[in-house]
Amino acid sequence: MRELVVLGTGSQVPSRERTQNGYFLRWDDEGFLFDPGEGTQRQMIFAGVNAGAVTRLCVTHFHGDHCLGVPGVVQRLSLDGVPHPVHAHYPASGQTYFTRLRYAASFFERAELLEEPVEEDGLLSVGSFGQLWARRLEHPIESYGYQLVEPDGRRMLPGKLAEYGVSGPAVGRLQRSGSIEAGGRTVRLEDVSEVRPGQRFAFVMDTRLCENVLRLAEGADLLVIESTYLSSEADLARRFGHLTARQAARVAAECGVRKLVLTHFSQRYLEPERFHDEAAAEFGGEIVVASDLSRISVPARR
């Protein structure tokens, strides 16, 4: 299963309709928790996301609406006795903040939290999920966006398999070895399959428009991106290091994004459809204006 569970969509000040940030990405056997703001632990309960599903904690920066939920989540990992290690990524410059959040109150620490701070642009980790990358964004304090890249695979072609006389366990052997002997000839994997593009996910929070926003969003099947303001407040967005819905949509259009998820809304706006309308003027693909506790599927493989 690959889906985004939206825990909160508000920015600095929560409202009656929107909790502060929080995003949980189910990616097969992995669970990425991004930017847990205040109230995330409670939102996880409402959304049916248990602490044991979290395998990685990714914080973009240390403004409160992106990290004040860390203490509750960290303590819940130990309270529930989560048996697997949980990797924590966050800007290295905010080490003091993360340490304070991790040990904000007394608790019996049983869970294994592996701190892996981000010091510069680059590859953070490689696993069954693919590759996890981080890139520096433009915000008043150090902030990083995250990108999940699945390597390309192969899609077997039933017609070609039949043509070459490959069936049953021989298919698995061919996938593992790259070639086998069948019917008196050598059959290569590329003879009976085609490239299956790997999927990509991008998470872009507080930032002005910059080159790394485009690099993170390039080819994303699902792009989760802040759109704090509408374009009528473009000056405010630029001054405080944020994006407008129009800018976010333009990024999606330029980068070939398949599904665009807008979030991190200023409390000044009461009509979410305005964000959709503004984005639709720039991007012709699928647009989701995120709401608290919504579930958004990653588009099916191409």
Side-chain angles (χ1 to χ4, degrees):
M1 177 181 291
R2 294 184 177 182
E3 69 169 355
L4 178 75
V5 181
V6 180
L7 303 172
T9 57
S11 55
Q12 188 174 25
V13 178
S15 67
R16 292 180 184 273
E17 295 78 25
R18 298 188 182 277
T19 308
Q20 285 187 346
N21 288 283
Y23 311 87
F24 178 75
L25 177 68
R26 297 186 192 275
W27 191 271
D28 301 335
D29 296 329
E30 296 283 335
F32 295 79
L33 179 60
F34 294 93
D35 281 6
E38 184 178 346
T40 292
Q41 182 184 184
R42 190 162 185 261
Q43 292 294 94
M44 288 171 65
I45 295 171
F46 286 133
V49 176
N50 62 67
V54 178
T55 59
R56 289 185 184 265
L57 170 62
C58 300
V59 176
T60 59
H61 65 292
F62 286 101
H63 279 152
D65 53 322
H66 296 262
C67 67
L68 285 178
V70 168
V73 171
V74 168
Q75 292 186 29
R76 186 60 178 269
L77 296 174
S78 285
L79 182 64
D80 288 2
V82 171
H84 55 260
V86 174
H87 302 261
H89 306 286
Y90 52 87
S93 62
Q95 182 64 63
T96 299
Y97 294 123
F98 190 84
T99 301
R100 289 172 180 168
L101 290 165
R102 180 174 180 176
Y103 298 110
S106 176
F107 70 104
F108 179 48
E109 189 170 22
R110 292 193 295 163
E112 184 180 8
L113 187 66
L114 304 176
E115 297 188 24
E116 300 173 11
V118 183
E119 297 183 353
E120 59 185 3
D121 286 13
L123 181 63
L124 297 179
S125 184
V126 177
S128 60
F129 53 84
Q131 299 175 336
L132 179 64
W133 292 76
R135 299 197 183 278
R136 177 79 178 268
L137 299 173
E138 290 189 10
H139 198 52
I141 65 171
E142 189 173 34
S143 181
Y144 284 90
Y146 295 97
Q147 180 189 47
L148 192 59
V149 179
E150 180 184 40
D152 292 344
R154 306 290 304 187
R155 180 183 291 113
M156 306 306 289
L157 302 174
K160 287 292 184 180
L161 288 168
E163 178 184 332
Y164 281 88
V166 179
S167 61
V171 176
R173 292 199 304 272
L174 176 57
Q175 290 175 315
R176 291 189 294 273
S177 64
S179 67
I180 61 171
E181 296 297 318
R185 57 181 168 177
T186 300
V187 181
R188 301 171 303 167
L189 182 60
E190 52 266 35
D191 294 330
V192 295
S193 66
E194 63 184 6
V195 174
R196 183 198 65 200
Q199 291 191 308
R200 293 189 173 204
F201 169 84
F203 187 79
V204 178
M205 283 294 116
D206 299 17
T207 183
R208 298 182 184 91
L209 195 58
C210 63
E211 182 63 29
N212 273 348
V213 172
L214 301 176
R215 295 182 71 183
L216 288 164
E218 185 63 36
D221 293 277
L222 187 67
L223 169 63
V224 180
I225 188 168
E226 69 122 316
S227 56
T228 308
Y229 297 101
L230 294 172
S231 57
S232 55
E233 281 75 47
D235 287 343
L236 281 178
R238 185 168 50 254
R239 187 189 316 166
F240 295 115
H242 287 290
L243 297 173
T244 66
R246 187 176 297 276
Q247 288 175 318
R250 195 172 299 146
V251 167
E254 291 180 11
C255 294
V257 168
R258 297 179 66 196
K259 183 183 287 190
L260 170 64
V261 179
L262 302 177
T263 188
H264 193 274
F265 306 108
S266 168
Q267 73 275 12
R268 73 185 61 216
Y269 302 111
L270 302 178
E271 296 124 345
E273 62 272 11
R274 295 174 64 190
F275 287 88
H276 183 280
D277 293 345
E278 184 167 296
E282 298 286 341
F283 178 61
E286 185 175 357
I287 301 169
V288 178
V289 178
S291 58
D292 288 18
L293 303 179
S294 58
R295 307 178 96 88
I296 302 166
S297 62
V298 177
R301 294 184 184 280
R302 294 182 188 273

